[in-house]
Amino acid sequence: MKKVLSLAAAGLLAAGAAQAGTLTVANSDITLYGGVSASYDWQSSDHIAGGSGFNKDNFHVSTFAIGLMKKADANSPIGFNAAFASFQVPTVLASSRVVNTPPLIASGSTSTFAPWLAYVTIAPVEGLSIDAGLLWNKFGEAPLTILNRHYTRGILFTGHPVLYAGARANYDAGIAQVYVGYNQGGGLRQKDTVITAGRVGFNTKDAVEAGIVFNLSDFVGFGSKVSLHTYNEAKGRDLYVLCTKVDLGLVKAGLEFDYTTLDDEADRSNATASRAQFGPDSGADSSAWGIALNLDFDFLNAQIANVTVPIRIEYVDNGDSTDMWGSGIYLTGKKSAWSFTITPTYKPTKNTFARVEASYISTDQKVFNDDKGSEKDNRTVLAFEAGFLF
């Protein structure tokens, strides 16, 4: 699961712009940015996709990232953004170990220090820009922990492509911002991956995306910021996302609604499907939906204390099937799942933080194993993370 927070378009810079430094290279001003974080987490169980046997508690360098950026403008119509990183991808549903062994991200293991965001921007006229390279989603949570309000990513994140190689055109029309893009996959579950629980991935080769962001108040005189997104993979997922957020002062609230359908080639109910999640099942649904409510109690901006308390509540319906996996779109098993995450965060300065987190997920199916190999229908994660952004 970020983004709703509009972080993906600018990468790490969105979180560290106020602290980023400027370098002058070949008569160009280039922004240096990045971040480092360390963490400890304890988990009661892990997803069965990772098999049996795991450590209940772990220390991590959860993020090490460094990047350079040059914005494109009227005086310099070609810019770039590139960030090298090594990072963990803990989620409420599964640990980073499950995500990375074997990699569920087609671009490889996130523990490998490599470019995880890298694109060139061309801005030929005012308001229009074209990005080409390794891009991030315009919706949902960001890949790196330090760019999110929570240490773990949510259930909805696990149904997103997250990152991919391609091109995207952006246009700012003033009252609305729109984008369209094409990519060749490379993100989360965008390759055919064989793991303990079966095949997990869509082997995506081509996908298109489009979206619009606007303030409802500009059209009807009241309302919040709204964004609509669609992401359609050839022979894979068709994802439709609605996001809205509002600033109520002490509390910032955001809502994300996802609806996903499967093409015939990925639909488990198609008995001849060669790439169906967890194998064909004639009784499986071909769609799933989920919703996430995000609340951020911001005592820092209210000048009460250097503390924020983000809360995330999610519910997904993964569809039905004759086996335990439902549509296979989410890895929660068939029928419903819900999660709750709370992350009290202390920010002594604008570019540093220390946070504790408690997250819990409950599923209708036993899709987790504890450290003794017993099947479970719930998972708890307790975590601490401290970080520095520059």
Side-chain angles (χ1 to χ4, degrees):
M1 340 183 284
K2 208 137 318 166
K3 52 192 285 192
V4 177
L5 308 177
S6 300
L7 291 173
L12 282 167
L13 185 63
Q19 296 78 36
T22 300
L23 307 174
T24 299
V25 179
N27 299 316
S28 297
D29 289 333
I30 295 177
T31 300
L32 171 69
Y33 63 90
V36 180
S37 66
S39 62
Y40 168 84
D41 58 46
W42 175 90
Q43 55 184 342
S44 64
S45 58
D46 207 350
H47 199 278
I48 62 175
S52 60
F54 62 89
N55 293 329
K56 294 188 72 171
D57 61 333
N58 299 274
F59 288 95
H60 302 283
V61 176
S62 42
T63 305
F64 174 66
I66 187 167
L68 295 171
M69 180 180 182
K70 169 66 175 70
K71 290 186 176 181
D73 53 41
N75 297 322
S76 179
I78 298 179
F80 74 94
N81 192 3
F84 281 74
S86 172
F87 58 100
Q88 300 293 312
V89 195
T91 72
V92 296
L93 191 59
S95 68
S96 189
R97 174 185 71 95
V98 176
V99 174
N100 282 321
T101 52
L104 298 186
I105 296 179
S107 296
S109 171
T110 67
S111 60
T112 299
F113 189 72
W116 287 96
L117 177 73
Y119 59 86
V120 173
T121 299
I122 302 174
V125 296
E126 184 70 24
L128 175 66
S129 64
I130 301 171
D131 302 326
L134 183 60
L135 307 171
W136 289 4
N137 270 353
K138 286 277 197 175
F139 54 86
E141 293 176 289
L144 278 62
T145 59
I146 59 175
L147 297 186
N148 298 302
R149 295 187 179 101
H150 303 281
Y151 174 70
T152 58
R153 262 43 60 91
I155 305 174
L156 297 190
F157 174 89
T158 67
H160 295 168
V162 184
L163 57 86
Y164 32 78
R168 176 190 294 147
N170 312 273
Y171 182 68
D172 188 342
I175 61 172
Q177 297 79 48
V178 297
Y179 70 91
V180 294
Y182 163 79
N183 69 79
Q184 297 176 318
L188 187 62
R189 298 176 63 197
Q190 286 194 308
K191 70 173 181 178
D192 191 7
T193 302
V194 178
I195 57 177
T196 302
R199 303 172 72 140
V200 180
F202 299 97
N203 202 27
T204 300
K205 301 297 184 183
D206 299 281
V208 294
E209 60 174 348
I212 182 171
V213 181
F214 59 91
N215 284 307
L216 192 60
S217 58
D218 291 338
F219 297 90
V220 298
F222 64 91
S224 61
K225 186 173 183 178
V226 176
S227 61
L228 302 170
H229 311 269
T230 180
Y231 188 93
N232 299 319
E233 299 168 343
K235 302 179 181 180
R237 298 167 291 189
D238 295 340
L239 175 61
Y240 307 93
V241 180
L242 164 66
C243 300
T244 181
K245 62 179 180 179
V246 60
D247 188 344
L248 302 174
L250 183 62
V251 182
K252 297 179 176 66
L255 190 70
E256 178 183 340
F257 177 80
D258 289 9
Y259 177 71
T260 307
T261 64
L262 296 175
D263 293 332
D264 288 344
E265 293 84 355
D267 186 348
R268 301 189 65 221
S269 66
N270 179 0
T272 63
S274 61
R275 294 187 293 107
Q277 305 291 279
F278 304 105
D281 185 330
S282 60
D285 285 338
S286 59
S287 65
W289 63 271
I291 189 168
L293 172 64
N294 294 280
L295 301 171
D296 192 359
F297 294 85
D298 194 340
F299 301 102
L300 175 60
N301 286 344
Q303 298 183 345
I304 298 173
N306 293 343
V307 173
T308 64
V309 184
I311 295 173
R312 180 182 61 215
I313 304 169
E314 296 178 291
Y315 177 87
V316 302
D317 184 337
N318 198 34
D320 213 338
S321 61
T322 57
D323 62 12
M324 67 175 288
W325 290 111
S327 67
I329 292 170
Y330 296 108
L331 304 186
T332 56
K334 67 180 178 182
K335 299 184 178 178
S336 65
W338 65 272
S339 73
F340 176 85
T341 304
I342 183 169
T343 314
T345 303
Y346 172 59
K347 296 182 177 180
T349 65
K350 289 184 178 181
N351 65 323
T352 60
F353 69 88
R355 59 189 177 189
V356 294
E357 178 167 297
S359 69
Y360 177 82
I361 182 172
S362 175
T363 57
D364 280 348
Q365 303 298 309
K366 293 183 177 181
V367 297
F368 308 106
N369 285 330
D370 65 17
D371 58 338
K372 298 179 176 60
S374 300
E375 295 181 348
K376 301 292 181 180
D377 61 3
N378 62 83
R379 179 174 186 256
T380 299
V381 177
L382 304 176
F384 170 81
E385 184 181 33
F388 180 91
L389 304 177
F390 60 87

